[in-house]
Amino acid sequence: MKHDIIVSEPIVYLIGRPQFDLDTLAIFLQNEGVEWRRSAGATQAEEIIETAGRICYMSYSERQSPRTNTAYIFNLIAQGHESVLEHVSWTFILTNVSRAFTHQLVRHRVGFSFSQLSQQYHDESDAQFLMPMLVDHLPEAKQVWRSAMETAQQAYHDLMTQLEATFDAEGAQMSPTERRRAIRSASRSVMPNATATKIVVTANARAIRHFLTVRGSIPGDEEMRRVASAILQQMQVEAPALFADFHIQTLSDNSPIVIKAELETKHHES
Ligand SMILES: Cc1cc2nc3c(=O)[nH]c(=O)nc-3n(C[C@H](O)[C@H](O)[C@H](O)COP(=O)(O)OP(=O)(O)OC[C@H]3O[C@@H](n4cnc5c(N)ncnc54)[C@H](O)[C@@H]3O)c2cc1C
């Protein structure tokens, strides 16, 4: 049995992104007898959003204003026409995060999908634990925390061993799979909030913006701020216009915090 303590940043792997099919859009535009003046430099996600917005008003050919893609997206957001932002989604794998963090994350119901490492199908005997940075900075707190993790992991191990030896599956009319699930379910009940987990998250741009707004700037929630900042950094490469009103600042302990600005101030920039 390992007592593996992780003290590090969450890792955000971006594994899925929107793909814009320009050739098919060209067929649509031709069938409709309209022309679209594209902006230079827009990303695929940004072009999907612009297309979704333009189709609401069929603002092509002479109905197309001189706005760039960036200005067009700023305007959608400033007007509150944000359902258009739901047409682009990204998929991330998050690792080096705690179950305390994911419990908060999965509260986001709208525009998010989740698939998380199971503690019923996965043996947690070698689970790792995420040490909060606050604890890492204080030697005495660190000792208390380490000892709590070791006790919990030992309890998990002991429960697994005892239940494996004694639990009568036939009496309980359970298949081997359900017996394993029952034993792991009972044993995991002693695992702490700090247990490391992995979660796949798919979210659309509107949902990500909402998440960054309500979760990225809470000073006392460092793990959440670190994940939000890591996601924002990736989003500002993927679709800068969609996330231009957010930026990252650093607190006195060097941890990041996500700040949302008023988009109106950037409205006419492109
Ligand atoms: C500082 C802070 C403290 C918190 N403390 C607690 C706590 O003590 N206990 C606790 O249980 N949770 C707590 N939460 C979680 C919080 O209540 C939300 O569950 C979580 O932040 C998800 O936000 P959301 O509902 O806006 O997001 P989503 O579920 O993604 O919803 C997005 C938006 O859709 C709309 N929406 C979604 N569902 C409905 C609905 N059923 N009816 C109407 N509109 C809807 C709302 O406009 C909502 O903002 C806290 C969150 C924060 C940021």
Short mmCIF file of all heavy atoms in Angstrom, two decimals, residues 126-155:
data_model
loop_
_atom_site.label_atom_id
_atom_site.label_comp_id
_atom_site.label_asym_id
_atom_site.label_seq_id
_atom_site.Cartn_x
_atom_site.Cartn_y
_atom_site.Cartn_z
N ASP A 126 -4.48 1.98 -3.72
CA ASP A 126 -3.31 2.81 -4.00
C ASP A 126 -3.69 4.24 -4.35
O ASP A 126 -2.98 4.93 -5.09
CB ASP A 126 -2.48 2.19 -5.14
CG ASP A 126 -1.79 0.92 -4.68
OD1 ASP A 126 -1.48 0.82 -3.47
OD2 ASP A 126 -1.59 0.02 -5.51
N ALA A 127 -4.81 4.68 -3.84
CA ALA A 127 -5.26 6.04 -4.17
C ALA A 127 -4.22 7.07 -3.73
O ALA A 127 -3.49 6.86 -2.76
CB ALA A 127 -6.58 6.33 -3.46
N GLN A 128 -4.20 8.16 -4.48
CA GLN A 128 -3.35 9.28 -4.09
C GLN A 128 -4.23 10.33 -3.40
O GLN A 128 -5.46 10.30 -3.52
CB GLN A 128 -2.68 9.88 -5.33
CG GLN A 128 -1.73 8.89 -6.00
CD GLN A 128 -1.09 9.49 -7.22
OE1 GLN A 128 -1.79 9.95 -8.12
NE2 GLN A 128 0.22 9.49 -7.26
N PHE A 129 -3.58 11.24 -2.71
CA PHE A 129 -4.33 12.28 -1.98
C PHE A 129 -3.77 13.65 -2.32
O PHE A 129 -2.56 13.83 -2.41
CB PHE A 129 -4.22 12.03 -0.47
CG PHE A 129 -4.75 10.67 -0.07
CD1 PHE A 129 -3.87 9.61 0.16
CD2 PHE A 129 -6.11 10.44 0.03
CE1 PHE A 129 -4.34 8.35 0.49
CE2 PHE A 129 -6.59 9.17 0.36
CZ PHE A 129 -5.71 8.13 0.58
N LEU A 130 -4.68 14.59 -2.50
CA LEU A 130 -4.29 15.96 -2.85
C LEU A 130 -4.13 16.79 -1.60
O LEU A 130 -5.11 17.05 -0.90
CB LEU A 130 -5.38 16.61 -3.71
CG LEU A 130 -5.32 16.48 -5.24
CD1 LEU A 130 -4.07 17.17 -5.78
CD2 LEU A 130 -5.37 15.06 -5.70
N MET A 131 -2.90 17.22 -1.34
CA MET A 131 -2.69 18.05 -0.15
C MET A 131 -3.00 19.51 -0.49
O MET A 131 -2.42 20.07 -1.42
CB MET A 131 -1.24 17.94 0.33
CG MET A 131 -0.98 18.75 1.58
SD MET A 131 0.74 18.71 2.08
CE MET A 131 0.85 17.09 2.81
N PRO A 132 -3.91 20.13 0.27
CA PRO A 132 -4.18 21.55 0.02
C PRO A 132 -2.89 22.37 0.22
O PRO A 132 -2.11 22.09 1.13
CB PRO A 132 -5.23 21.92 1.07
CG PRO A 132 -5.85 20.62 1.46
CD PRO A 132 -4.75 19.59 1.33
N MET A 133 -2.68 23.36 -0.63
CA MET A 133 -1.47 24.18 -0.54
C MET A 133 -1.35 24.84 0.84
O MET A 133 -0.26 24.98 1.37
CB MET A 133 -1.49 25.28 -1.61
CG MET A 133 -1.54 24.74 -3.02
SD MET A 133 0.10 24.27 -3.63
CE MET A 133 -0.33 23.58 -5.24
N LEU A 134 -2.50 25.20 1.40
CA LEU A 134 -2.50 25.85 2.71
C LEU A 134 -1.86 24.93 3.76
O LEU A 134 -1.10 25.37 4.62
CB LEU A 134 -3.95 26.16 3.11
CG LEU A 134 -4.19 27.13 4.24
CD1 LEU A 134 -3.64 28.50 3.89
CD2 LEU A 134 -5.69 27.22 4.53
N VAL A 135 -2.16 23.64 3.67
CA VAL A 135 -1.60 22.66 4.60
C VAL A 135 -0.11 22.47 4.31
O VAL A 135 0.72 22.41 5.22
CB VAL A 135 -2.36 21.32 4.49
CG1 VAL A 135 -1.69 20.24 5.31
CG2 VAL A 135 -3.82 21.49 4.91
N ASP A 136 0.22 22.45 3.03
CA ASP A 136 1.61 22.21 2.63
C ASP A 136 2.56 23.27 3.21
O ASP A 136 3.72 23.01 3.46
CB ASP A 136 1.68 22.22 1.09
CG ASP A 136 3.07 21.86 0.58
OD1 ASP A 136 3.69 20.96 1.18
OD2 ASP A 136 3.53 22.49 -0.38
N HIS A 137 2.02 24.48 3.44
CA HIS A 137 2.86 25.58 3.92
C HIS A 137 3.12 25.52 5.43
O HIS A 137 3.93 26.29 5.94
CB HIS A 137 2.22 26.93 3.56
CG HIS A 137 2.18 27.17 2.09
ND1 HIS A 137 1.19 27.89 1.47
CD2 HIS A 137 3.01 26.76 1.10
CE1 HIS A 137 1.42 27.92 0.16
NE2 HIS A 137 2.52 27.23 -0.08
N LEU A 138 2.40 24.62 6.14
CA LEU A 138 2.51 24.62 7.60
C LEU A 138 2.94 23.23 8.09
O LEU A 138 2.15 22.28 8.05
CB LEU A 138 1.15 24.95 8.24
CG LEU A 138 0.57 26.32 7.89
CD1 LEU A 138 -0.89 26.41 8.30
CD2 LEU A 138 1.38 27.42 8.57
N PRO A 139 4.17 23.07 8.55
CA PRO A 139 4.69 21.74 8.91
C PRO A 139 3.79 20.97 9.89
O PRO A 139 3.56 19.78 9.72
CB PRO A 139 6.06 22.03 9.52
CG PRO A 139 6.45 23.35 8.96
CD PRO A 139 5.18 24.11 8.68
N GLU A 140 3.24 21.67 10.90
CA GLU A 140 2.42 20.93 11.88
C GLU A 140 1.10 20.46 11.26
O GLU A 140 0.67 19.32 11.47
CB GLU A 140 2.14 21.80 13.11
CG GLU A 140 3.33 21.87 14.04
CD GLU A 140 3.55 23.25 14.60
OE1 GLU A 140 2.58 24.02 14.70
OE2 GLU A 140 4.71 23.58 14.92
N ALA A 141 0.50 21.33 10.49
CA ALA A 141 -0.75 20.97 9.83
C ALA A 141 -0.51 19.80 8.86
O ALA A 141 -1.33 18.88 8.73
CB ALA A 141 -1.31 22.17 9.07
N LYS A 142 0.65 19.85 8.22
CA LYS A 142 1.01 18.81 7.26
C LYS A 142 1.07 17.44 7.94
O LYS A 142 0.60 16.44 7.40
CB LYS A 142 2.39 19.16 6.70
CG LYS A 142 2.64 18.78 5.29
CD LYS A 142 3.84 19.56 4.81
CE LYS A 142 4.57 18.83 3.74
NZ LYS A 142 5.65 19.64 3.19
N GLN A 143 1.61 17.43 9.16
CA GLN A 143 1.73 16.17 9.89
C GLN A 143 0.35 15.63 10.26
O GLN A 143 0.07 14.43 10.09
CB GLN A 143 2.59 16.39 11.15
CG GLN A 143 2.96 15.12 11.88
CD GLN A 143 3.42 14.00 10.93
OE1 GLN A 143 4.22 14.22 10.01
NE2 GLN A 143 2.87 12.80 11.12
N VAL A 144 -0.53 16.51 10.73
CA VAL A 144 -1.90 16.11 11.08
C VAL A 144 -2.59 15.53 9.84
O VAL A 144 -3.24 14.48 9.88
CB VAL A 144 -2.71 17.34 11.59
CG1 VAL A 144 -4.18 16.99 11.75
CG2 VAL A 144 -2.13 17.85 12.90
N TRP A 145 -2.41 16.24 8.74
CA TRP A 145 -3.09 15.86 7.49
C TRP A 145 -2.58 14.50 6.98
O TRP A 145 -3.37 13.62 6.63
CB TRP A 145 -2.87 16.98 6.46
CG TRP A 145 -3.65 16.83 5.19
CD1 TRP A 145 -4.90 17.32 4.94
CD2 TRP A 145 -3.23 16.14 4.01
NE1 TRP A 145 -5.28 16.99 3.66
CE2 TRP A 145 -4.28 16.26 3.07
CE3 TRP A 145 -2.08 15.44 3.65
CZ2 TRP A 145 -4.22 15.71 1.81
CZ3 TRP A 145 -2.01 14.88 2.38
CH2 TRP A 145 -3.07 15.02 1.48
N ARG A 146 -1.27 14.35 6.96
CA ARG A 146 -0.68 13.08 6.49
C ARG A 146 -1.17 11.91 7.32
O ARG A 146 -1.52 10.85 6.80
CB ARG A 146 0.86 13.14 6.61
CG ARG A 146 1.54 13.67 5.39
CD ARG A 146 3.05 13.60 5.57
NE ARG A 146 3.70 14.21 4.44
CZ ARG A 146 3.94 13.61 3.28
NH1 ARG A 146 3.59 12.34 3.13
NH2 ARG A 146 4.50 14.24 2.28
N SER A 147 -1.19 12.13 8.62
CA SER A 147 -1.60 11.06 9.52
C SER A 147 -3.07 10.68 9.25
O SER A 147 -3.42 9.49 9.24
CB SER A 147 -1.38 11.56 10.95
OG SER A 147 -2.17 10.87 11.82
N ALA A 148 -3.91 11.69 8.97
CA ALA A 148 -5.33 11.40 8.67
C ALA A 148 -5.45 10.59 7.38
O ALA A 148 -6.25 9.64 7.30
CB ALA A 148 -6.11 12.71 8.57
N MET A 149 -4.64 10.92 6.39
CA MET A 149 -4.71 10.19 5.12
C MET A 149 -4.26 8.73 5.31
O MET A 149 -4.86 7.80 4.77
CB MET A 149 -3.81 10.84 4.04
CG MET A 149 -4.20 12.24 3.64
SD MET A 149 -5.91 12.42 3.12
CE MET A 149 -6.55 13.42 4.43
N GLU A 150 -3.19 8.57 6.08
CA GLU A 150 -2.67 7.21 6.29
C GLU A 150 -3.67 6.36 7.04
O GLU A 150 -3.88 5.20 6.71
CB GLU A 150 -1.33 7.30 7.04
CG GLU A 150 -0.21 7.76 6.13
CD GLU A 150 1.05 8.17 6.87
OE1 GLU A 150 1.17 7.87 8.08
OE2 GLU A 150 1.91 8.79 6.21
N THR A 151 -4.32 6.97 8.03
CA THR A 151 -5.34 6.24 8.80
C THR A 151 -6.49 5.83 7.89
O THR A 151 -6.97 4.68 7.93
CB THR A 151 -5.86 7.13 9.95
OG1 THR A 151 -4.75 7.50 10.75
CG2 THR A 151 -6.89 6.39 10.79
N ALA A 152 -6.93 6.76 7.05
CA ALA A 152 -8.07 6.46 6.16
C ALA A 152 -7.70 5.35 5.18
O ALA A 152 -8.48 4.42 4.94
CB ALA A 152 -8.48 7.73 5.42
N GLN A 153 -6.49 5.44 4.63
CA GLN A 153 -6.11 4.44 3.64
C GLN A 153 -5.93 3.07 4.28
O GLN A 153 -6.30 2.04 3.69
CB GLN A 153 -4.85 4.87 2.89
CG GLN A 153 -4.72 4.13 1.57
CD GLN A 153 -3.59 4.65 0.72
OE1 GLN A 153 -2.54 5.03 1.26
NE2 GLN A 153 -3.78 4.66 -0.58
N GLN A 154 -5.41 3.07 5.48
CA GLN A 154 -5.26 1.80 6.20
C GLN A 154 -6.64 1.21 6.49
O GLN A 154 -6.87 0.00 6.33
CB GLN A 154 -4.49 2.03 7.51
CG GLN A 154 -4.12 0.75 8.24
CD GLN A 154 -3.16 -0.12 7.41
OE1 GLN A 154 -2.13 0.37 6.93
NE2 GLN A 154 -3.51 -1.39 7.21
N ALA A 155 -7.59 2.08 6.88
CA ALA A 155 -8.95 1.61 7.17
C ALA A 155 -9.59 1.03 5.90
O ALA A 155 -10.26 -0.02 5.95
CB ALA A 155 -9.79 2.75 7.72
#
